[in-house]
Amino acid sequence: MPTLLAMRVGIDGLTALAFFGLLRRYPTIGGPGWWSLSATVSILGSLGLWLRGSVPDFLAYGVGNAALCIAPLLAWMGLRSHLQFLQPVARVAAAGLVAAALQTVFIFVWDLPQARQAVFALAVLIVMGMAYRDMVSADPQRRVPEMQALKLLTAVEFVAMLLFALAGPVAGLPLSQVGPVTVFFFLLAGLLRVVLYGALVTYRLRLEGDRARQGLLIREADSRALIENLSAGVMVFRPNHTLSSINSAARRFFGWSPGGANTALPEPTGPGWQMLREDGQPMRRHDMPFERVLATGQPVKSVVVGVPVGNGDEVHWALFNAYPENNAQGGLRHVVLTFIDITSLKTAQAEQKTLQAQLSQSQKMEALGTLAGGVAHDFNNILAAILGNADLARQDLTHDAPARESLHEISTAARRGRELVRQILAFSRQQPAERTRVDVGAILAETCNLMRAAMPPHVQLLHECHPDTPPLLADATQLGQVLINLGTNAVHALEGRPGRVECQLDGLKGHDPRLPAEVAQACAEAGVDAVRLRVSDNGCGMTEAVRSRIFEPFFTTKVVGRGTGLGLPVVLGIVQVHGGAIDVESRPGKGTTFTLYFPAAPDGPPGLALDPVVGHAGADPVTMAPRPPEGAETALLETPLMADAPPADQPHILYLDDDDTLVFLVRRLLERRGYRVTSFTDQQLAVNAVREQPEAFQLLLTDYNMPGMSGLDVARAVLAINPKLPVAVASGYITDELQAEAKTAGVREVVFKTDAVEAFCEVVARLVKPD
């Protein structure tokens, strides 16, 4: 018996230490703490039995028997804690006190060994019954083998304890025979119970591990689903430049199939993975986000990268971020690239830049138009005075006078200045156009004949006109100017080398996709087709930087003295006035092609004029005096003005201008022609002269732009006095609005100030004739 008790003490000590270790390692798992405490209390009970006779009976029987009763209660509490059941600590403590009190009473009051034995057996049987009930509740479907084994062991122990308790009273066996067998059996059962408790702890750990792994798998699946459905691209690379994973947004961005990308694909450095900087140039390897993370180990943020897709014709743009993913030891496991597709943003920025360039060009044109309007009046007055006085001086000289050559050079320089003003007005679209239904093919043929005569012999000029080309509503003179300007530029682009200039004319359907948007819309609204005019050469071509500036006023690549920089701006202004558009294709060394698109004329009889003010055919516009052809003014000015005999009654002309020089010039011109001239520089004096003698004048010729009352104000005031008096207005800055107001005011003609010197006499001769 002492040997068995000594073994029991040692086994309980090891059990207490083992479960205490489990408690320290897995504090969240219920049971090991109570089982360690139960083994410790069991040691006290074994020591009490072992030291019986050597220590007082109170310690040997009272404390020892009470400890043996309390130890099963503590083991049961550990089982409920492990099963996560409610733990009746107060009731267990009360039961322990009752057991200790009964053991004490049956020692000091009634010394009854059978009673002490009965109390012990009853306590153990009750605890076993409650433990068995809890195990049945915890595993009703018998799925846990460890729990079933522990339940079977409890049942066996229950039966054994019942037999041992009845062995003495029923079978009459002495305690000295029953005790050792009982101790040995429960020693073995205790060892097996400890193993099963450990198995339960292992099973719980396995369950929690499975739950943790399941939760991890669920979180990983959620993360994968989240990453897969992100609109941002995510790519995970290994340090050896191979791809670990990629989401759908990244596959779409790179143009890969939805089925996935080859995970062994290299990092984007090969031909198929070319990366571009924001300026469109290839990105150097050490600037790529992946390489920067590899080199520095630091995250890279907000790098704009372009990636060619397909055959490289299309570029997708993205905002890249990259960061390292390290393992527990700090080593690099992956490099994660995330990016947002900003292709639409880059496209919008490019469109905005284009719109800003168009706005800048429009503002330049508006500024030049304002400048033209402000300068044209005074500058044209100066030119008119120079031309007129040069002519008068030439008339006063003999035919062989040396000064005539100098006067001729003065007139030539003044005419060049006049042409410059005309080009500025045409570019700024301030020069009115009288549009009629014209045959563009005829204009092209006529213009090509004129250009061919002036071209060098080594330049070949070709023109081709499709027979079904529809007519245009256009100003034939301005269209000719467009062709001459483009042809001249083409010849200059040949730089003196032999070459070819081609002009091609044909028609396009109104819905043709090659039409610019604005022309296509105009054709759709009018229900007409379009006309396409192409002028091409095989000359030096242009760089993109030059091509982007060719329509800027005064921008030229020619040497000083060979160009003003207004040729192409004038072309742009005329084309836009006619509702057309220009497309330019050019490459250095490959030549240049200008393509002009115009809406065709609506159906109607040939030669029907289009009113320049209200914009429709059949109106009666204010007559604008025609300009004589180049060089005709020289012949006119060199012809004596008295060649046409004046009327016998000498018509009386009233001339008004705020410029003394022009007043002096025009009076001398008209008087030499045989007219009587009354001139004023003050508007009110001119009106008073008509008021005093309403029938004394046969014509009022007035400047438009004057301080105070304008020429139209003077015309209204004079016509209110004498409605039959012919009135003509001269200005160097004529707009459609001015012509409309002049027509409303009753003005007969509007004359360009630049042409006034040559046209005044003709206008006067026509207007003073009686109706």
Side-chain angles (χ1 to χ4, degrees):
M1 186 71 174
T3 302
L4 292 174
L5 292 174
M7 291 176 61
R8 182 182 176 90
V9 169
I11 291 173
D12 286 341
L14 292 174
T15 302
L17 292 174
F19 283 123
F20 182 73
L22 287 175
L23 174 65
R24 294 290 300 275
R25 188 170 182 180
Y26 306 110
T28 59
I29 296 179
W34 289 103
W35 294 329
S36 177
L37 181 59
S38 173
T40 302
V41 172
S42 179
I43 290 174
L44 293 177
S46 298
L47 288 175
L49 294 177
W50 190 9
L51 299 176
R52 190 174 299 173
S54 301
V55 296
D57 291 344
F58 171 73
L59 295 176
Y61 292 100
V63 176
N65 288 351
L68 292 175
C69 292
I70 294 172
L73 283 173
L74 296 175
W76 173 61
M77 289 291 289
L79 178 63
R80 290 185 66 88
S81 175
H82 182 78
L83 298 176
Q84 298 179 346
F85 289 172
L86 182 64
Q87 302 166 43
V89 178
R91 285 185 289 175
V92 168
L97 291 176
V98 170
L102 289 175
Q103 293 293 340
T104 304
V105 168
F106 290 131
I107 292 175
F108 294 101
V109 179
W110 299 290
D111 186 10
L112 301 173
Q114 293 83 3
R116 293 196 298 272
Q117 185 178 357
V119 170
F120 166 73
L122 182 60
V124 172
L125 290 172
I126 292 173
V127 171
M128 288 182 179
M130 291 187 297
Y132 189 88
R133 181 199 62 189
D134 291 339
M135 286 185 282
V136 171
S137 299
D139 187 23
Q141 298 178 351
R142 302 179 182 181
R143 293 181 176 178
V144 184
E146 293 85 353
M147 188 67 70
Q148 297 305 312
L150 184 60
K151 187 168 62 173
L152 179 60
L153 177 62
T154 302
V156 172
E157 285 181 330
F158 185 89
V159 173
M161 178 58 70
L162 186 61
L163 292 176
F164 291 143
L166 297 176
V170 176
L173 297 175
L175 185 60
S176 58
Q177 295 179 358
V178 175
V181 177
T182 303
V183 172
F184 181 73
F185 175 81
F186 281 100
L187 177 63
L188 295 178
L191 286 172
L192 186 57
R193 182 175 292 275
V194 169
V195 172
L196 291 176
Y197 281 162
L200 283 179
V201 172
T202 302
Y203 174 73
R204 175 60 58 80
L205 290 174
R206 188 169 65 250
L207 274 183
E208 292 189 354
D210 291 342
R211 291 195 189 99
R213 283 190 293 273
Q214 187 67 23
L216 180 60
L217 291 175
I218 292 174
R219 287 193 296 273
E220 288 180 350
D222 292 343
S223 299
R224 284 194 299 270
L226 176 62
I227 294 174
E228 185 69 16
N229 291 285
L230 281 175
S231 59
V234 179
M235 305 174 69
V236 181
F237 288 97
R238 303 182 185 91
N240 64 353
H241 295 66
T242 58
L243 188 62
S244 173
S245 62
I246 180 172
N247 71 344
S248 296
R251 289 195 293 270
R252 289 193 300 270
F253 180 81
F254 290 105
W256 290 346
S257 64
N262 184 358
T263 56
L265 282 175
E267 191 267 343
T269 56
W273 287 82
Q274 184 183 16
M275 287 188 169
L276 306 178
R277 303 195 306 255
E278 281 193 82
D279 58 2
Q281 297 300 315
M283 182 176 287
R284 293 176 294 183
R285 183 181 179 87
H286 64 269
D287 289 334
M288 295 180 179
F290 178 88
E291 295 294 341
R292 289 172 60 181
V293 173
L294 281 183
T296 64
Q298 300 297 320
V300 176
K301 296 182 179 179
S302 302
V303 179
V304 177
V305 176
V307 179
V309 296
N311 296 326
D313 299 333
E314 183 181 1
V315 177
H316 287 179
W317 293 92
L319 186 66
F320 272 80
N321 294 284
Y323 63 90
E325 181 185 331
N326 299 324
N327 55 26
Q329 290 75 32
L332 182 65
R333 293 181 62 245
H334 297 106
V335 175
V336 181
L337 293 181
T338 62
F339 58 87
I340 301 174
D341 189 348
I342 59 171
T343 304
S344 58
L345 177 61
K346 292 286 287 185
T347 303
Q349 289 176 342
E351 292 176 353
Q352 181 182 13
K353 186 178 295 185
T354 301
L355 291 175
Q356 287 176 343
Q358 293 175 351
L359 176 61
S360 177
Q361 179 70 14
S362 175
Q363 290 173 340
K364 290 177 183 177
M365 292 180 66
E366 182 180 356
L368 186 58
T370 303
L371 176 65
V375 172
H377 176 263
D378 293 333
F379 194 59
N380 286 332
N381 283 350
I382 296 171
L383 293 177
I386 292 172
L387 288 169
N389 283 289
D391 172 65
L392 292 176
R394 190 161 45 241
Q395 295 178 33
D396 292 336
L397 295 174
T398 61
H399 186 72
D400 56 350
R404 292 180 67 87
E405 184 176 356
S406 298
L407 291 172
H408 176 72
E409 292 299 323
I410 291 173
S411 298
T412 301
R415 284 195 299 272
R416 288 177 181 171
R418 181 191 63 185
E419 287 303 317
L420 180 61
V421 174
R422 286 178 179 173
Q423 289 188 16
I424 293 175
L425 291 173
F427 163 69
S428 60
R429 286 176 280 178
Q430 302 296 341
Q431 179 177 331
E434 185 169 347
R435 296 164 62 184
T436 58
R437 187 182 179 89
V438 297
D439 182 359
V440 190
I443 296 175
L444 175 61
E446 180 181 355
T447 305
C448 287
N449 290 333
L450 292 174
M451 288 193 297
R452 186 176 289 108
M455 281 186 176
H458 58 268
V459 177
Q460 184 181 11
L461 177 61
L462 304 175
H463 75 276
E464 178 184 355
C465 179
H466 195 277
D468 294 331
T469 304
L472 289 183
L473 282 174
D475 185 312
T477 302
Q478 291 189 356
L479 281 185
Q481 184 177 4
V482 167
L483 290 169
I484 290 175
N485 285 356
L486 293 179
T488 302
N489 275 2
V491 173
H492 288 166
L494 296 175
E495 297 179 337
R497 299 188 301 270
R500 184 180 66 257
V501 178
E502 296 183 11
C503 300
Q504 297 175 311
L505 180 68
D506 58 4
L508 296 176
K509 294 297 183 182
H511 53 78
D512 195 295
R514 291 171 290 182
L515 290 176
E518 59 270 28
V519 178
Q521 181 178 359
C523 291
E525 292 176 353
V528 296
D529 292 333
V531 175
R532 178 176 62 176
L533 174 62
R534 286 176 289 183
V535 179
S536 59
D537 64 75
N538 58 349
C540 61
M542 296 180 287
T543 63
E544 182 61 28
V546 173
R547 197 200 67 79
S548 64
R549 299 187 61 190
I550 57 176
F551 294 114
E552 291 184 11
F554 306 112
F555 173 77
T556 180
T557 58
K558 301 181 180 68
V559 297
V560 176
R562 292 196 61 188
T564 62
L566 282 174
L568 290 178
V570 166
V571 170
L572 176 65
I574 293 174
V575 169
Q576 291 180 343
V577 162
H578 287 77
I582 302 179
D583 179 57
V584 183
E585 297 180 4
S586 183
R587 287 193 299 170
K590 300 296 184 180
T592 302
T593 299
F594 285 85
T595 305
L596 283 57
Y597 301 92
F598 299 96
D603 294 336
L608 188 62
L610 181 72
D611 188 274
V613 177
V614 299
H616 67 276
D620 182 19
V622 176
T623 303
M624 184 179 66
R627 295 191 297 270
E630 187 68 27
E633 64 270 29
T634 303
L636 176 64
L637 294 176
E638 291 179 352
T639 302
L641 293 179
M642 293 299 294
D644 294 332
D649 55 354
Q650 287 190 324
H652 195 178
I653 310 300
L654 176 61
Y655 181 71
L656 172 64
D657 198 306
D658 63 328
D659 192 320
D660 293 335
T661 305
L662 281 181
V663 169
F664 176 74
L665 170 65
V666 173
R667 186 176 67 247
R668 293 177 63 194
L669 285 173
L670 295 179
E671 286 177 349
R672 289 194 181 192
R673 182 65 92 146
Y675 298 103
R676 287 191 299 134
V677 179
T678 301
S679 58
F680 293 97
T681 58
D682 183 271
Q683 299 96 312
Q684 194 58 53
L685 292 178
V687 174
N688 292 339
V690 176
R691 182 178 291 109
E692 292 173 1
Q693 295 179 308
E695 305 294 335
F697 302 101
Q698 281 70 51
L699 174 66
L700 168 62
L701 189 58
T702 177
D703 185 26
Y704 167 69
N705 194 356
M706 296 181 291
M709 296 176 67
S710 69
L712 294 182
D713 294 332
V714 173
R716 294 186 186 97
V718 169
L719 291 173
I721 299 171
N722 183 7
K724 297 182 179 181
L725 178 62
V727 178
V729 175
S731 177
Y733 180 59
I734 299 178
T735 63
D736 292 342
E737 290 77 9
L738 171 58
Q739 291 196 59
E741 292 181 14
K743 177 182 176 182
T744 304
V747 174
R748 299 284 184 90
E749 292 196 17
V750 178
V751 185
F752 276 112
K753 182 66 72 72
T754 51
D755 297 327
V757 174
E758 298 85 3
F760 275 167
C761 294
E762 179 185 346
V763 171
V764 170
R766 184 170 62 252
L767 294 182
V768 297
K769 291 179 181 179
D771 297 336

